[in-house]
Amino acid sequence: MIIEDTARQIQSKIATFKPKTAIILGSGLGEFANALSDAISIPYAEIKDFPQSNVKGHAGKFIIGKLHGKDILCMQGRFHLYEGHAPARINEIILTLKLLGIEKLIVTNAAGSLHPEMPAGSLMLIKDHISLNTPNPLIGPDDEKYGPRFPDMSNAYTAEIREQIKALAAQLDIKLYEGTYYYSVGPCFETKAEIKMLQMLGGDAVGSSTVPEVIAAVHAGLKVLGISVITNLGTGLQATPPSHQETLTNAALGGEKLTRLISTYIKEAA
Ligand code: HPA
C-alpha cells in the first residue's frame, strides 16, 4: 500500500468533502455512521491495495458525510493485528488519513471491564493505555517527513479534548468513567489469571484494538479522543465467560449514549 496513492484514490471519490475529523467505529458501533447526512460510502474493496477487514460486526467501508454542518469521515470497520495485518499497515492507514487532511482522530471500541463496578453498557473515556511488548505500528524504517522516530506519548489522549468531553457528558447526564485501556493483542479472550494481572498493572478496561491506531496517530501529530463501550466484565469477573456475541449485543447498550456524546462533541467542539 502506497499511502500517497491511497489518499489520492480516496480524495478523488470524496469530491467536495474536506473532513478534519475521522472516527473509527468499533465492534457493534458502526451505527454511528447513520447519523451522517449527504453521506457517501466507499467500500474498502473499491480502493486498490487497501486491506480488507473481516471481523463480524465490522462493515469495511469509509462513510463520509455531514454532521451538524461539519464534514466527518467514519471508518466502519477497522483492522486488528489479530486478523494477520502487519502492524505497519495500521500506520499506513493513519498516515493516509493524515494526507487527506484529518487533524483529529476519534477512536471507539468495545472493551472488557476490569472493575465489577464498571458494568456492561458503561462508557469509559480512555485517559491512557498500556501496551508494552506488543507489536508496534511504527516498527520499520522511519520517514521523518511523517513524524518523529521516538514520539512522545505523554499526552496521547489529548488532555484538552478529555476535559471538553467530560463537561459535555455531564451536561448530557451521561455517566462517563475514565481509565486506562490495556491492549491485549487477541484474538482469544484473556485467561482469569491474565485479567488479575491486568488489574494489578493498572488497567481499567481491556481490548484488542485502538492502541496501534493511537500510536500511529500520535506519531502523525493527530489529536486523539478515545472512548470504550464496556460490553462485559473481564474473564473470571462475571458468571459466564465473555464472548464475541455478547460483545456485539452489549455494544448496542452503550452505543446509543456514545452516539449522543460524540455527536454533541462534534457540534460543540470538533
Ligand atoms: N477482552 C478483550 N477484548 C474485548 C473484551 C474482553 O473482555 N470485550 C470486548 N472486547
Side-chain angles (χ1 to χ4, degrees):
M1 181 175 153
I2 298 161
I3 59 173
E4 288 82 1
D5 180 52
T6 307
R8 252 194 310 274
Q9 289 181 64
I10 299 171
Q11 188 65 60
S12 72
K13 292 176 197 282
I14 67 177
T16 56
F17 287 107
K18 298 229 172 329
K20 289 192 164 49
T21 299
I23 307 181
I24 301 181
L25 299 167
S27 290
L29 299 169
E31 287 294 303
F32 178 87
N34 295 342
L36 302 189
S37 56
D38 303 324
I40 54 170
S41 148
I42 310 171
Y44 300 152
E46 286 179 11
I47 304 166
K48 189 171 150 283
D49 293 336
F50 203 79
Q52 303 302 306
S53 80
N54 49 28
V55 181
K56 207 171 152 210
H58 284 265
K61 56 190 175 197
F62 287 103
I63 300 190
I64 301 108
K66 287 198 179 288
L67 190 60
H68 302 297
K70 295 172 185 167
D71 293 357
I72 304 290
L73 178 147
C74 289
M75 285 186 76
Q76 216 182 30
R78 62 141 57 91
F79 302 96
H80 308 85
L81 299 187
Y82 66 70
E83 293 170 76
H85 300 293
R89 262 297 133 94
I90 311 289
N91 188 38
E92 289 164 358
I93 291 165
I94 299 297
L95 289 175
T96 300
L97 298 181
K98 165 100 176 168
L99 290 184
L100 286 170
I102 296 299
E103 295 170 358
K104 197 179 286 176
L105 183 67
I106 302 177
V107 276
T108 65
N109 60 52
S113 170
L114 297 171
H115 300 288
E117 62 280 12
M118 179 166 71
S122 306
L123 297 186
M124 188 189 90
L125 176 62
I126 305 176
K127 67 172 178 195
D128 210 343
H129 71 225
I130 301 175
S131 160
L132 292 176
N133 306 318
T134 46
N136 192 301
L138 304 179
I139 290 173
D142 186 51
D143 187 339
E144 287 275 337
K145 82 171 181 258
Y146 296 123
R149 174 77 292 191
F150 302 105
D152 164 30
M153 296 296 290
S154 63
N155 189 26
Y157 299 83
T158 315
E160 182 197 338
I161 303 182
R162 279 190 282 126
E163 292 313 311
Q164 287 172 318
I165 208 87
K166 283 192 271 188
L168 291 174
Q171 277 172 30
L172 293 170
D173 210 13
I174 291 175
K175 181 160 177 58
L176 186 62
Y177 293 82
E178 188 174 21
T180 297
Y181 178 91
Y182 201 112
Y183 179 55
S184 165
V185 178
C188 57
F189 284 96
E190 298 69 35
T191 65
K192 292 179 195 173
E194 284 163 349
I195 290 293
K196 276 194 195 139
M197 179 189 84
L198 305 190
Q199 290 175 314
M200 286 191 281
L201 290 178
D204 298 299
V206 56
S208 304
S209 68
T210 299
V211 163
E213 296 149 1
V214 171
I215 293 172
V218 170
H219 170 256
L222 306 185
K223 292 191 169 161
V224 174
L225 164 65
I227 303 180
S228 294
V229 174
I230 300 299
T231 55
N232 58 280
L233 299 183
T235 312
L237 301 179
Q238 63 181 24
T240 51
S243 69
H244 189 55
Q245 190 50 51
E246 180 184 35
T247 298
L248 294 180
T249 306
N250 287 347
L253 277 179
E256 182 274 328
K257 281 185 284 186
L258 182 73
T259 299
R260 258 190 309 137
L261 184 56
I262 294 182
S263 168
T264 306
Y265 171 70
I266 285 169
K267 181 173 174 194
E268 302 292 334

